[in-house]
Amino acid sequence: MSEETKNDQELNEEQPKVDNEETVEEVFAEEPQEDQATDELSELQARLDESENRYLRLRADFDNFRRRINAENEAKEKYRSQALITELLPALDNFERALNIEADNDQTKTLLQGMEMVHRSLIEAIKKEGVEAIDAVGQEFDPHMHQAVMQTEDEAYGSNVVVEEFQKGYKLKDRVIRPSMVKVNQ
């Protein structure tokens, strides 16, 4: 065998086998297409992962928003009458002051009885809404429920105990609308 024939055989062995229908350019062009397809696939996968993460974050944000709105709506419903009750409290105070007047004739007694009926009706109406008076006298001072306006030293009461109530306090369900104005023992 001649040297030229040997060189041709070596060259043929190094080149990939080609089907009759494929050209050499097509065989070598397939490798970059595979790399390009792999790159496109990994890029698409990264975009899909990013979209899924965005979706999950948005869903969590929406769930938090929905919970917050539901809590706000429940609070609005629970305390819907607070503004009205706050406006009625001075009228209740005035009723209580008027009821403390001593009746000296029948006409005054009759007027006081009518005022007592109106007062009871108002108290029942606000109780139905969840309003209750705050107990003060004899209770330990609580800065959340009581507003201390005076201090005294009375041996009949323990330390930090409410001795006298100047103005009733009220709370609506679990929220203090107006603290009791009290005198506290040192």
Side-chain angles (χ1 to χ4, degrees):
M1 227 198 284
S2 70
E3 217 171 287
E4 277 182 29
T5 313
K6 269 187 183 178
N7 286 339
D8 286 339
Q9 280 181 346
E10 288 175 9
L11 283 176
N12 285 338
E13 288 174 4
E14 291 175 9
Q15 292 182 352
K17 301 287 184 209
V18 178
D19 289 340
N20 291 338
E21 297 174 9
E22 290 183 308
T23 64
V24 174
E25 291 83 23
E26 290 174 347
V27 171
F28 286 111
E30 284 181 17
E31 277 185 26
Q33 285 178 350
E34 288 176 9
D35 289 343
Q36 185 180 7
T38 305
D39 290 344
E40 285 179 15
L41 183 62
S42 62
E43 181 183 330
L44 289 173
Q45 184 63 40
R47 288 171 66 191
L48 177 64
D49 291 343
E50 180 184 332
S51 295
E52 285 177 356
N53 286 336
R54 240 183 313 157
Y55 166 74
L56 291 174
R57 276 188 246 117
L58 283 172
R59 183 172 177 186
D61 286 344
F62 179 72
D63 287 344
N64 291 338
F65 172 75
R66 190 178 67 233
R67 278 189 219 110
R68 189 172 45 248
I69 293 297
N70 286 342
E72 287 174 6
N73 288 339
E74 287 174 8
K76 279 181 187 177
E77 181 62 27
K78 187 175 182 180
Y79 302 111
R80 73 184 186 288
S81 59
Q82 182 174 348
L84 176 64
I85 291 168
T86 303
E87 295 294 322
L88 286 175
L89 290 181
L92 281 174
D93 293 338
N94 290 335
F95 264 110
E96 289 172 2
R97 282 187 210 103
L99 292 174
N100 289 332
I101 294 175
E102 290 292 323
D104 55 353
N105 60 36
D106 289 340
Q107 191 177 17
T108 309
K109 288 180 184 178
T110 306
L111 181 63
L112 282 177
Q113 286 176 345
M115 287 181 60
E116 284 177 12
M117 288 190 299
V118 173
H119 182 258
R120 273 196 304 267
S121 297
L122 282 172
I123 294 294
E124 288 302 314
I126 65 173
K127 278 185 181 178
K128 286 179 184 175
E129 287 296 316
V131 175
E132 58 186 65
I134 297 172
D135 291 331
V137 177
Q139 302 292 321
E140 186 169 335
F141 176 75
D142 180 359
H144 301 291
M145 303 270 217
H146 308 121
Q147 179 182 356
V149 292
M150 291 180 68
Q151 283 188 338
T152 187
E153 289 188 29
D154 190 345
E155 293 178 7
Y157 293 96
S159 178
N160 206 27
V161 173
V162 175
V163 175
E164 187 178 345
E165 180 179 54
F166 298 115
Q167 184 181 42
K168 272 190 180 179
Y170 294 93
K171 60 183 181 175
L172 174 62
K173 297 183 174 51
D174 58 348
R175 183 184 287 180
V176 175
I177 295 176
R178 182 176 76 183
S180 300
M181 289 177 41
V182 295
K183 182 193 292 187
V184 180
N185 195 29
Q186 285 185 331

